[in-house]
Amino acid sequence: MRTSIFKTDNVFFNHYFKIYDIRGFKLILTLALLLLLFVYSVLFPAPSNYLISIKAKNLLKGVDDLYDYAVPLLAALMTAFAFFNDYKNQTYRFLAFYHPASFNRPMVYRWAIIVFLFCIGSFVSAGFYYRNVSFFGLIGFLLSVRFLPNIVFLSALMLCIIALTKNSYAGLFVTLVYFVLDLYSDGRLFKLFSMGANTANFYYAISPEYFLFNRLLICLAAGCFLGLACYQRR
Amino acid sequence: MGNHLSIENVSFSYGKNVVLDNISFACRDGITALLGNNGAGKTTLMNLLTGLKKPSRGRIMLNGIDLLKTKPYPIDQVGYLPQTFDMYGNVTGYDLLSYVFDLKKIKTNKKETIDEIVERFHLGPVIHQRIGKYSGGYKRRLGIAQAVIGKPTLLIIDEPTAGLDPEERAQFRSYLSEISNDAITLISTHIIEDVELYSQQIIILKDHSIAFDGSVAEMISESIPYIRTLETDFSTLMALRKKVTVIEEKRLSTDRYKIRFIKNEQDVADSYQEKEISLENAYIYFQNR
């Protein structure tokens, strides 16, 4: 049984660039976006007084919202793009027949490829973005890694709404509404479920525990969204 | 011996909304047509047979194997062509067949098997093109080609000839006749003409249950006694429409009509029973009786 599952997974990966990402177009597009992000991060780094600014409990709009909001939005839009054709012509029914397990692993893999690339790209670029604050040190690592839950969360939300409604436009609508409301309320509307924990400086403005709990909840919510999206209701 | 499919006491509901209520029937190799008005439960039944949905009760046995209890669902034994078969437009036909071949874990030589399928369904000119460029006819042919890869014992085909022109429909019918020789082929359709030409067995779904299960000849012979014919004028026709269910009207001259209707308790003067009726007449009778 287990061998059979892995064989099916091998089939998925062997055919990935012939069925799900023809000639690697989505991969190239993702890498191009991440390259742009990297170039931007190199050219326009965060100010060197960044740590002083956050300890002064300042809002970090214009500094942290690039990685708090813009990069996760790009990842979520890539997710919508990758799954758009599944629901345009009911292709998902055909795919569901050939992947009969109750948990749709090919869907997870397709989502994970995008998210993984964005996480790596975001982590590396953020390292350069905060190079004036800390470069390749523990602080630099923490400054870069704190944005990753947002990428996972927003793209999982997009996937979940698309899969549940079987409609890519519904996914775009719900995700963008959440995104805009969270961005313009400076994290006050969704509080613990806000993506803007860094921009709104939850760590110093509220408390370190609140900040960490927010990051944890965002990750847990992403896991729930992914489970809801990939569990095939029969 | 051949293959045998039996659906035993199958029910399915969406919450309190019953879609299929205690359905039972059996079929063997050959074409079985599944008829029914919109909302009768045809697509739900197809979804149950393909493992896309699970019934609230009952079992589906294919050659003695319970399809619902087999994990994972045996895609190597079942071929499926959905009504809207639209794979990603930029995938080539060959790549799709190759993917399906691998997913079904078929043991034969891959290239030989795909080449044979391509030749059988005359897909040669387009097989390396993107599916988005295919005509409706080629798309259906590719759809049936992917379904029959690995010679499944059960084929489930939803609206096989919908949207095809008459010539393509005729060709598709011949493909279906050929593949159904050694496979149970269950077809859901609205096109009665097709059913008459190729089906050994007809199942009519009505009000979430089976209203008829038998052959074309049996369906017609069961309906004949209840269908009356009358030649009449327009005013009588208008009056009759309020009393009986008129199922066919043919204008003979300016004010002369030949009509067929379903008989009820009151007989209509001058009406008579014909020796032959169409399958469409019989179908409408079963939907209205």
Side-chain angles (χ1 to χ4, degrees):
Chain A
M1 178 69 187
R2 187 160 287 275
T3 313
S4 171
I5 285 170
F6 287 123
K7 270 187 186 170
T8 306
D9 290 350
N10 282 342
V11 172
F12 168 81
F13 287 114
N14 290 340
H15 290 265
Y16 181 75
F17 287 112
K18 287 189 170 175
I19 300 290
Y20 297 103
D21 188 8
I22 310 293
R23 288 189 284 275
F25 177 74
K26 287 167 194 142
L27 178 70
I28 292 166
L29 183 62
T30 302
L31 293 176
L33 289 170
L34 291 171
L35 183 65
L36 282 176
L37 174 71
F38 180 76
V39 170
Y40 182 90
S41 299
V42 168
L43 293 178
F44 306 102
S48 52
N49 64 346
Y50 178 80
L51 287 180
I52 297 165
S53 187
I54 57 171
K55 283 174 186 169
K57 302 182 182 180
N58 293 335
L59 274 180
L60 298 160
K61 279 202 158 186
V63 182
D64 277 355
D65 46 9
L66 171 68
Y67 285 93
D68 247 355
Y69 287 104
V71 178
L73 181 65
L74 287 177
L77 292 176
M78 272 307 298
T79 303
F81 177 53
F83 287 90
F84 182 79
N85 283 328
D86 284 38
Y87 299 95
K88 198 174 101 186
N89 294 316
Q90 298 196 342
T91 306
Y92 75 94
R93 290 168 64 88
F94 178 75
L95 295 173
F97 170 73
Y98 280 114
H99 297 284
S102 56
F103 196 73
N104 192 341
R105 286 192 316 283
M107 186 183 259
V108 180
Y109 297 144
R110 289 166 68 194
W111 171 84
I113 288 168
I114 296 166
V115 169
F116 176 76
L117 288 172
F118 268 95
C119 283
I120 294 288
S122 169
F123 182 78
V124 171
S125 298
F128 283 87
Y129 187 66
Y130 293 102
R131 67 182 181 274
N132 293 334
V133 183
S134 170
F135 195 52
F136 284 116
L138 178 64
I139 292 175
F141 172 81
L142 292 173
L143 286 176
S144 300
V145 85
R146 66 197 165 131
F147 297 109
L148 302 189
N150 289 359
I151 295 172
V152 182
F153 171 77
L154 201 65
S155 52
L157 173 66
M158 178 72 86
L159 181 68
C160 180
I161 304 296
I162 289 175
L164 289 182
T165 61
K166 316 247 180 277
N167 187 327
S168 299
Y169 296 109
L172 279 168
F173 177 77
V174 172
T175 308
L176 288 177
V177 165
Y178 167 82
F179 178 87
V180 169
L181 291 175
D182 194 46
L183 179 65
Y184 287 102
S185 70
D186 294 329
R188 284 190 294 270
L189 188 62
F190 297 108
K191 296 184 175 22
L192 277 168
F193 285 96
S194 167
M195 290 204 312
N198 303 296
T199 306
N201 202 356
F202 282 0
Y203 191 92
Y204 286 104
I206 302 175
S207 74
E209 293 78 18
Y210 193 89
F211 172 83
L212 291 172
F213 196 47
N214 163 275
R215 299 290 82 189
L216 182 68
L217 273 182
I218 288 281
C219 290
L220 286 175
C224 293
F225 291 149
L226 194 61
L228 279 172
C230 299
Y231 176 69
Q232 304 199 64
R233 283 149 288 276
R234 292 176 189 278
Chain B
M1 176 91 180
N3 299 299
H4 184 256
L5 173 75
S6 70
I7 283 93
E8 300 169 10
N9 310 111
V10 166
S11 298
F12 182 84
S13 325
Y14 287 107
K16 286 182 180 173
N17 181 21
V18 177
V19 183
L20 293 172
D21 187 15
N22 208 25
I23 298 273
S24 293
F25 65 88
C27 32
R28 293 193 170 275
D29 289 345
I31 297 177
T32 298
L34 196 59
L35 296 174
N37 292 344
N38 289 334
K42 299 191 298 292
T43 302
T44 303
L45 183 56
M46 295 236 152
N47 286 339
L48 297 179
L49 288 164
T50 50
L52 293 171
K53 294 213 177 292
K54 288 227 169 1
S56 38
R57 58 182 281 251
R59 60 180 196 165
I60 298 171
M61 305 293 288
L62 176 63
N63 294 331
I65 299 164
D66 192 336
L67 276 185
L68 306 174
K69 285 189 178 159
T70 308
K71 305 262 181 195
Y73 180 86
I75 53 172
D76 55 331
Q77 290 185 50
V78 182
Y80 174 46
L81 173 58
Q83 185 180 351
T84 45
F85 171 71
D86 241 331
M87 194 53 188
Y88 308 125
N90 51 1
V91 172
T92 69
Y94 191 91
D95 287 340
L96 175 70
L97 295 180
S98 167
Y99 186 44
V100 169
F101 181 96
D102 287 345
L103 283 171
K104 287 189 171 183
K105 301 182 181 80
I106 297 162
K107 299 279 188 286
T108 56
N109 180 288
K110 184 158 137 181
K111 190 177 181 309
E112 279 174 16
T113 306
I114 294 177
D115 287 348
E116 184 208 320
I117 292 260
V118 166
E119 195 179 338
R120 188 173 169 194
F121 294 101
H122 305 103
L123 284 162
V126 297
I127 196 64
H128 293 290
Q129 287 179 19
R130 296 186 298 131
I131 296 172
K133 288 186 173 177
Y134 282 26
S135 66
Y138 272 125
K139 247 182 211 173
R140 293 311 277 175
R141 277 193 236 172
L142 180 68
I144 198 75
Q146 61 79 28
V148 302
I149 278 191
K151 297 185 177 143
T153 48
L154 171 63
L155 274 165
I156 297 160
I157 303 174
D158 206 352
E159 297 287 355
T161 55
L164 299 184
D165 63 39
E167 199 178 331
E168 285 171 334
R169 267 173 53 199
Q171 191 170 41
F172 206 83
R173 280 199 299 262
S174 70
Y175 290 142
L176 290 175
S177 297
E178 188 191 326
I179 61 177
S180 63
N181 280 335
D182 50 5
I184 302 160
T185 310
L186 197 63
I187 289 170
S188 159
T189 185
H190 279 103
I191 303 172
I192 306 287
E193 184 195 341
D194 284 355
V195 174
E196 196 158 14
L197 288 168
Y198 59 47
S199 304
Q200 278 108 312
Q201 185 181 358
I202 294 175
I203 288 160
I204 298 177
L205 283 176
K206 186 193 163 192
D207 298 335
H208 324 297
S209 308
I210 291 178
F212 176 81
D213 178 2
S215 66
V216 171
E218 286 167 347
M219 188 169 152
I220 289 176
S221 66
E222 271 191 41
S223 324
I224 279 182
Y226 303 96
I227 294 176
R228 308 288 289 178
T229 305
L230 176 71
E231 284 186 27
T232 185
D233 56 27
F234 184 72
S235 57
T236 315
L237 169 61
M238 296 309 283
L240 265 176
R241 275 186 183 160
K242 291 171 187 162
K243 292 181 188 167
V244 295
T245 308
V246 177
I247 60 173
E248 192 181 302
E249 284 178 30
K250 191 175 174 186
R251 193 170 191 171
L252 301 173
S253 61
T254 314
D255 191 31
R256 205 70 196 150
Y257 293 83
K258 184 177 179 182
I259 64 165
R260 279 188 180 147
F261 59 93
I262 298 171
K263 186 175 132 181
N264 57 19
E265 295 81 27
Q266 296 172 312
D267 200 15
V268 176
D270 300 327
S271 70
Y272 57 94
Q273 181 185 314
E274 280 194 304
K275 284 181 184 163
E276 284 184 9
I277 58 165
S278 69
L279 188 66
E280 191 168 286
N281 290 159
Y283 172 71
I284 300 172
Y285 161 71
F286 276 102
Q287 284 296 341
N288 287 280
R289 71 173 177 176

